[in-house]
Amino acid sequence: MKKNHEVVGLVIDAIQQNDTLRFLSAITGCTIKDFDKITYNGSRTVGDYLSILPIFQNDVFSMQAMLELAGLETKENYRIEELTIGEKKLLLLITLIVDTSKQYLLQNLFQNMQVSEVKCATELLIEMSTYMDIILISPSTYGYEICDKTIYWPDNNTIDNREFHISRNKIKEMCIMPTFIMKEIIKVIKENETTDIAIPLWNVVPGEYEEYAYQVLNSNADKEKFNYPYISHRPFRYGDVYWIMEHQLQELEINGSRCFEEAHFIPDEAIIHVKCSEYFFRCCKEAKRIFYDYAKNHVEELIC
Protein backbone atom coordinates (compact mmCIF):
# COMPACT_ATOMS: atom_id res chain seq x y z
CA MET A 1 0.00 0.00 0.00
CA LYS A 2 1.35 3.44 -0.96
CA LYS A 3 0.77 6.82 0.60
CA ASN A 4 -1.36 9.07 -1.60
CA HIS A 5 -1.15 12.06 0.74
CA GLU A 6 1.62 13.72 2.72
CA VAL A 7 2.60 12.80 6.26
CA VAL A 8 4.17 15.75 8.13
CA GLY A 9 5.92 15.43 11.47
CA LEU A 10 6.00 18.52 13.70
CA VAL A 11 8.60 18.48 16.49
CA ILE A 12 7.36 20.86 19.16
CA ASP A 13 7.14 21.23 22.92
CA ALA A 14 3.35 21.15 23.26
CA ILE A 15 3.41 22.57 26.79
CA GLN A 16 5.50 25.62 25.96
CA GLN A 17 3.88 26.09 22.55
CA ASN A 18 0.26 25.42 23.46
CA ASP A 19 -0.97 28.65 21.83
CA THR A 20 0.87 27.72 18.63
CA LEU A 21 -0.89 24.35 18.51
CA ARG A 22 -4.28 25.98 19.05
CA PHE A 23 -3.56 28.36 16.19
CA LEU A 24 -2.45 25.47 13.97
CA SER A 25 -5.66 23.61 14.82
CA ALA A 26 -7.74 26.67 13.95
CA ILE A 27 -6.14 27.38 10.57
CA THR A 28 -6.13 23.74 9.45
CA GLY A 29 -9.60 22.94 10.76
CA CYS A 30 -8.17 19.85 12.44
CA THR A 31 -9.00 18.64 15.93
CA ILE A 32 -6.04 17.93 18.23
CA LYS A 33 -6.15 14.35 19.46
CA ASP A 34 -3.66 13.80 22.28
CA PHE A 35 -2.88 10.09 22.52
CA ASP A 36 -1.44 10.58 26.02
CA LYS A 37 -4.93 11.50 27.28
CA ILE A 38 -6.87 8.40 26.30
CA THR A 39 -9.92 7.46 28.36
CA TYR A 40 -11.77 4.17 27.92
CA ASN A 41 -14.29 2.03 29.72
CA GLY A 42 -11.58 -0.47 30.54
CA SER A 43 -13.94 -3.36 31.31
CA ARG A 44 -15.16 -3.57 27.71
CA THR A 45 -13.44 -5.88 25.28
CA VAL A 46 -11.67 -4.66 22.17
CA GLY A 47 -14.24 -6.35 19.98
CA ASP A 48 -17.18 -4.83 21.85
CA TYR A 49 -15.59 -1.38 21.68
CA LEU A 50 -15.09 -1.52 17.90
CA SER A 51 -18.41 -3.20 17.12
CA ILE A 52 -20.37 -0.09 18.12
CA LEU A 53 -18.73 1.88 15.28
CA PRO A 54 -21.22 2.11 12.38
CA ILE A 55 -18.70 0.92 9.81
CA PHE A 56 -18.14 -2.35 11.67
CA GLN A 57 -21.69 -3.09 12.81
CA ASN A 58 -22.54 -5.10 9.71
CA ASP A 59 -19.03 -5.94 8.58
CA VAL A 60 -17.13 -8.17 10.99
CA PHE A 61 -14.54 -9.02 8.36
CA SER A 62 -13.51 -5.36 7.97
CA MET A 63 -13.08 -5.10 11.74
CA GLN A 64 -10.90 -8.20 11.80
CA ALA A 65 -8.83 -6.88 8.90
CA MET A 66 -8.27 -3.60 10.73
CA LEU A 67 -7.28 -5.42 13.92
CA GLU A 68 -4.79 -7.48 11.95
CA LEU A 69 -3.31 -4.34 10.37
CA ALA A 70 -2.89 -2.93 13.89
CA GLY A 71 -1.33 -6.15 15.22
CA LEU A 72 -4.30 -6.61 17.57
CA GLU A 73 -5.90 -9.63 15.93
CA THR A 74 -5.24 -11.78 19.02
CA LYS A 75 -6.61 -9.13 21.40
CA GLU A 76 -10.22 -8.98 20.19
CA ASN A 77 -11.55 -10.64 23.37
CA TYR A 78 -9.18 -8.82 25.75
CA ARG A 79 -10.53 -6.16 28.07
CA ILE A 80 -9.17 -2.75 27.14
CA GLU A 81 -7.62 -2.38 30.59
CA GLU A 82 -5.44 -5.41 29.80
CA LEU A 83 -3.80 -3.73 26.81
CA THR A 84 -0.44 -1.99 26.87
CA ILE A 85 -0.30 1.79 26.45
CA GLY A 86 0.82 1.31 22.86
CA GLU A 87 -2.02 -1.10 22.10
CA LYS A 88 -4.55 1.36 23.52
CA LYS A 89 -3.12 4.02 21.22
CA LEU A 90 -3.45 1.66 18.24
CA LEU A 91 -7.08 1.03 19.17
CA LEU A 92 -7.79 4.76 19.25
CA LEU A 93 -6.00 5.21 15.92
CA ILE A 94 -8.32 2.64 14.34
CA THR A 95 -11.36 4.68 15.42
CA LEU A 96 -9.87 7.83 13.88
CA ILE A 97 -9.09 6.08 10.61
CA VAL A 98 -12.65 4.86 10.11
CA ASP A 99 -14.12 8.25 11.07
CA THR A 100 -13.59 10.07 7.78
CA SER A 101 -15.85 12.96 8.79
CA LYS A 102 -13.06 14.73 10.71
CA GLN A 103 -9.39 15.50 10.36
CA TYR A 104 -7.01 15.36 13.31
CA LEU A 105 -3.65 16.57 14.49
CA LEU A 106 -2.21 13.38 16.02
CA GLN A 107 -0.30 14.32 19.18
CA ASN A 108 2.03 11.97 21.12
CA LEU A 109 1.07 8.93 19.06
CA PHE A 110 4.44 7.16 19.23
CA GLN A 111 5.43 8.10 22.79
CA ASN A 112 5.75 5.03 25.07
CA MET A 113 5.20 2.64 22.17
CA GLN A 114 7.34 -0.45 21.68
CA VAL A 115 9.16 -0.76 18.34
CA SER A 116 6.70 -3.41 17.16
CA GLU A 117 3.78 -1.12 18.05
CA VAL A 118 5.36 1.76 16.14
CA LYS A 119 5.51 -0.49 13.07
CA CYS A 120 1.82 -1.30 13.42
CA ALA A 121 0.95 2.38 13.90
CA THR A 122 2.94 3.16 10.75
CA GLU A 123 0.86 0.64 8.77
CA LEU A 124 -2.33 2.26 10.04
CA LEU A 125 -1.05 5.73 9.12
CA ILE A 126 -0.24 4.53 5.61
CA GLU A 127 -3.84 3.34 5.34
CA MET A 128 -5.02 6.74 6.62
CA SER A 129 -2.78 8.58 4.14
CA THR A 130 -4.62 7.00 1.20
CA TYR A 131 -7.39 9.55 1.65
CA MET A 132 -6.02 12.49 3.72
CA ASP A 133 -2.91 14.40 4.72
CA ILE A 134 -1.61 13.60 8.21
CA ILE A 135 0.07 15.89 10.73
CA LEU A 136 1.89 14.27 13.65
CA ILE A 137 2.84 16.29 16.76
CA SER A 138 5.56 15.19 19.18
CA PRO A 139 8.46 16.56 21.24
CA SER A 140 10.82 14.11 19.47
CA THR A 141 11.23 12.41 16.08
CA TYR A 142 10.65 8.92 17.49
CA GLY A 143 8.53 7.05 14.93
CA TYR A 144 8.86 9.82 12.33
CA GLU A 145 10.45 7.55 9.71
CA ILE A 146 7.07 7.56 7.94
CA CYS A 147 7.10 11.35 7.55
CA ASP A 148 7.63 12.95 4.16
CA LYS A 149 8.65 16.15 5.93
CA THR A 150 9.78 17.00 9.48
CA ILE A 151 9.37 20.53 10.82
CA TYR A 152 11.04 21.80 14.00
CA TRP A 153 9.22 24.53 15.93
CA PRO A 154 10.19 27.17 16.79
CA ASP A 155 12.53 27.53 13.83
CA ASN A 156 15.06 29.42 15.96
CA ASN A 157 15.93 25.95 17.25
CA THR A 158 18.02 25.38 14.15
CA ILE A 159 21.57 24.37 14.96
CA ASP A 160 23.95 26.97 13.53
CA ASN A 161 27.13 28.73 14.60
CA ARG A 162 25.56 30.39 17.64
CA GLU A 163 26.82 29.78 21.14
CA PHE A 164 24.73 27.29 23.08
CA HIS A 165 24.56 27.54 26.86
CA ILE A 166 23.48 24.80 29.24
CA SER A 167 21.95 26.57 32.21
CA ARG A 168 21.10 25.32 35.70
CA ASN A 169 18.98 28.39 36.54
CA LYS A 170 16.00 26.23 37.55
CA ILE A 171 18.07 24.26 40.05
CA LYS A 172 17.47 25.92 43.40
CA GLU A 173 19.67 23.62 45.50
CA MET A 174 23.43 23.21 45.24
CA CYS A 175 24.19 21.72 41.83
CA ILE A 176 26.26 18.53 42.13
CA MET A 177 27.15 18.22 38.42
CA PRO A 178 30.44 20.03 37.78
CA THR A 179 31.84 20.67 34.32
CA PHE A 180 33.83 17.44 34.05
CA ILE A 181 30.65 15.39 34.58
CA MET A 182 28.71 17.37 31.96
CA LYS A 183 31.55 16.86 29.47
CA GLU A 184 31.36 13.11 29.93
CA ILE A 185 27.56 13.09 29.67
CA ILE A 186 27.70 14.94 26.35
CA LYS A 187 30.33 12.49 25.09
CA VAL A 188 27.94 9.64 25.82
CA ILE A 189 25.11 11.45 24.02
CA LYS A 190 27.28 12.14 20.96
CA GLU A 191 28.09 8.44 20.70
CA ASN A 192 24.42 7.40 20.63
CA GLU A 193 22.03 7.34 17.69
CA THR A 194 18.75 7.82 19.57
CA THR A 195 17.45 10.20 22.21
CA ASP A 196 16.88 7.31 24.66
CA ILE A 197 20.24 6.80 26.35
CA ALA A 198 21.60 4.78 29.25
CA ILE A 199 24.39 6.80 30.87
CA PRO A 200 26.80 4.44 32.68
CA LEU A 201 27.72 6.15 35.93
CA TRP A 202 31.17 4.55 36.10
CA ASN A 203 31.99 6.40 32.86
CA VAL A 204 30.87 9.87 33.90
CA VAL A 205 31.33 10.08 37.68
CA PRO A 206 34.82 9.33 39.07
CA GLY A 207 34.77 7.24 42.25
CA GLU A 208 36.64 9.88 44.18
CA TYR A 209 33.98 12.46 43.27
CA GLU A 210 31.21 10.36 44.82
CA GLU A 211 33.20 10.25 48.06
CA TYR A 212 33.89 14.01 47.87
CA ALA A 213 30.20 14.82 47.16
CA TYR A 214 29.11 12.58 50.05
CA GLN A 215 31.37 14.50 52.45
CA VAL A 216 30.28 17.93 51.15
CA LEU A 217 26.58 17.05 51.35
CA ASN A 218 26.80 15.93 54.96
CA SER A 219 29.09 18.73 56.16
CA ASN A 220 26.59 21.28 54.79
CA ALA A 221 23.33 19.40 55.43
CA ASP A 222 21.98 22.15 57.69
CA LYS A 223 22.33 24.86 55.05
CA GLU A 224 19.43 26.00 52.88
CA LYS A 225 21.24 25.30 49.60
CA PHE A 226 21.68 21.67 50.63
CA ASN A 227 18.00 21.05 51.30
CA TYR A 228 17.00 18.43 48.73
CA PRO A 229 13.28 17.86 49.51
CA TYR A 230 13.10 14.59 47.56
CA ILE A 231 15.66 13.02 49.95
CA SER A 232 14.05 12.74 53.38
CA HIS A 233 16.81 11.09 55.40
CA ARG A 234 19.81 12.75 57.03
CA PRO A 235 22.68 12.19 57.08
CA PHE A 236 23.05 11.69 53.35
CA ARG A 237 24.00 8.20 52.21
CA TYR A 238 26.39 6.93 49.58
CA GLY A 239 24.48 6.89 46.31
CA ASP A 240 22.31 9.90 47.13
CA VAL A 241 24.39 11.94 44.72
CA TYR A 242 22.84 9.94 41.86
CA TRP A 243 19.29 10.58 43.04
CA ILE A 244 20.16 14.28 43.10
CA MET A 245 21.62 14.00 39.59
CA GLU A 246 18.38 12.37 38.40
CA HIS A 247 16.38 15.41 39.54
CA GLN A 248 18.87 18.05 38.46
CA LEU A 249 19.30 16.65 34.95
CA GLN A 250 15.58 17.24 34.41
CA GLU A 251 16.02 20.91 35.36
CA LEU A 252 18.82 21.70 32.91
CA GLU A 253 18.06 23.97 29.94
CA ILE A 254 19.94 24.84 26.78
CA ASN A 255 19.21 28.29 25.40
CA GLY A 256 15.89 28.29 27.24
CA SER A 257 14.72 24.82 26.15
CA ARG A 258 14.88 21.81 28.41
CA CYS A 259 17.71 19.35 27.89
CA PHE A 260 16.04 16.16 29.07
CA GLU A 261 12.43 15.07 28.91
CA GLU A 262 13.09 12.26 31.39
CA ALA A 263 15.87 11.07 33.70
CA HIS A 264 15.71 7.96 35.87
CA PHE A 265 18.40 6.58 38.18
CA ILE A 266 18.46 2.76 38.05
CA PRO A 267 20.59 1.62 41.01
CA ASP A 268 20.72 -2.08 40.11
CA GLU A 269 22.29 -1.27 36.75
CA ALA A 270 24.36 1.73 37.92
CA ILE A 271 22.97 3.88 35.11
CA ILE A 272 20.87 6.98 34.66
CA HIS A 273 18.46 6.46 31.81
CA VAL A 274 17.65 9.72 30.04
CA LYS A 275 15.46 10.81 27.18
CA CYS A 276 17.02 13.86 25.57
CA SER A 277 14.84 16.55 24.09
CA GLU A 278 15.20 16.51 20.32
CA TYR A 279 16.72 20.01 20.39
CA PHE A 280 19.36 19.17 23.00
CA PHE A 281 20.21 15.92 21.22
CA ARG A 282 20.80 17.81 17.99
CA CYS A 283 22.87 20.44 19.81
CA CYS A 284 25.15 17.73 21.23
CA LYS A 285 25.53 16.23 17.77
CA GLU A 286 25.85 19.34 15.64
CA ALA A 287 26.69 22.46 17.67
CA LYS A 288 30.27 23.70 17.43
CA ARG A 289 30.32 25.49 20.79
CA ILE A 290 28.43 24.50 23.93
CA PHE A 291 29.03 26.27 27.23
CA TYR A 292 28.05 25.22 30.74
CA ASP A 293 26.82 28.04 32.96
CA TYR A 294 27.65 26.17 36.15
CA ALA A 295 27.40 29.13 38.50
CA LYS A 296 27.23 32.90 38.42
CA ASN A 297 30.37 34.20 36.70
CA HIS A 298 31.48 30.59 36.20
CA VAL A 299 31.05 29.59 32.53
CA GLU A 300 33.13 26.89 30.89
CA GLU A 301 33.16 25.55 27.35
CA LEU A 302 32.36 21.86 27.03
CA ILE A 303 34.91 20.49 24.59
CA CYS A 304 33.74 17.08 23.44
Side-chain angles (χ1 to χ4, degrees), residues 14-263:
I15 297 175
Q16 293 185 3
Q17 301 292 332
N18 184 54
D19 289 343
T20 299
L21 290 184
R22 288 185 179 182
F23 178 71
L24 179 63
S25 173
I27 64 173
T28 60
C30 297
T31 301
I32 298 175
K33 182 62 71 171
D34 189 346
F35 282 76
D36 278 349
K37 297 179 180 178
I38 303 175
T39 56
Y40 286 114
N41 180 347
S43 62
R44 298 173 67 180
T45 67
V46 170
D48 288 342
Y49 176 76
L50 291 179
S51 64
I52 65 173
L53 299 176
I55 193 172
F56 294 141
Q57 286 179 353
N58 299 310
D59 193 349
V60 176
F61 294 110
S62 291
M63 184 176 77
Q64 292 174 341
M66 192 63 73
L67 286 171
E68 185 174 350
L69 190 63
L72 298 175
E73 64 274 16
T74 63
K75 303 296 178 76
E76 184 176 351
N77 295 318
Y78 278 57
R79 294 194 306 274
I80 293 176
E81 62 190 12
E82 297 177 303
L83 302 180
T84 66
I85 293 174
E87 289 169 342
K88 290 177 182 177
K89 290 186 174 187
L90 290 168
L91 185 61
L92 175 58
L93 186 56
I94 289 175
T95 66
L96 301 185
I97 288 174
V98 300
D99 179 13
T100 57
S101 64
K102 296 180 181 178
Q103 286 188 295
Y104 297 94
L105 303 177
L106 306 181
Q107 183 178 348
N108 297 320
L109 170 60
F110 296 118
Q111 269 52 55
N112 298 311
M113 273 191 172
Q114 303 297 323
V115 173
S116 59
E117 294 166 344
V118 170
K119 290 180 179 179
C120 292
T122 298
E123 291 300 318
L124 290 172
L125 290 174
I126 292 173
E127 169 72 22
M128 197 176 195
S129 72
T130 60
Y131 60 85
M132 69 167 63
D133 292 330
I134 300 172
I135 300 178
L136 302 171
I137 299 170
S138 173
S140 77
T141 57
Y142 180 61
Y144 273 19
E145 289 79 5
I146 187 179
C147 295
D148 302 294
K149 182 192 303 179
T150 300
I151 299 171
Y152 294 88
W153 186 271
D155 57 10
N156 63 4
N157 279 3
T158 54
I159 310 303
D160 51 27
N161 292 326
R162 289 177 294 152
E163 290 185 357
F164 293 87
H165 286 256
I166 295 175
S167 166
R168 45 163 295 250
N169 288 339
K170 286 190 173 181
I171 299 176
K172 304 306 180 185
E173 312 91 10
M174 179 61 65
C175 182
I176 50 82
M177 294 178 295
T179 303
F180 61 83
I181 288 181
M182 285 306 302
K183 285 182 179 180
E184 296 302 321
I185 288 175
I186 290 184
K187 283 182 181 179
V188 173
I189 294 171
K190 288 172 72 73
E191 292 168 358
N192 277 266
E193 298 302 321
T194 68
T195 56
D196 286 288
I197 299 170
I199 299 175
L201 294 171
W202 59 90
N203 277 4
V204 301
V205 182
E208 60 271 20
Y209 177 73
E210 181 182 1
E211 173 65 30
Y212 167 76
Y214 169 74
Q215 298 293 340
V216 170
L217 288 171
N218 278 315
S219 61
N220 294 276
D222 59 337
K223 297 179 180 177
E224 183 179 358
K225 277 289 188 180
F226 289 81
N227 177 28
Y228 302 91
Y230 41 85
I231 298 179
S232 58
H233 53 261
R234 297 293 185 275
F236 289 97
R237 302 167 185 164
Y238 284 103
D240 282 347
V241 63
Y242 302 120
W243 293 111
I244 296 173
M245 280 183 64
E246 174 194 81
H247 282 78
Q248 294 191 344
L249 283 170
Q250 296 179 71
E251 299 294 332
L252 292 178
E253 294 185 336
I254 185 162
N255 286 25
S257 297
R258 59 184 174 177
C259 293
F260 299 100
E261 295 176 9
E262 299 175 13

Side-chain angles (χ1 to χ4, degrees), residues 285-298:
K285 291 282 192 177
E286 303 171 28
K288 295 180 179 178
R289 305 189 74 188
I290 298 179
F291 294 85
Y292 185 33
D293 298 7
Y294 178 66
K296 188 175 181 181
N297 300 321
H298 185 175

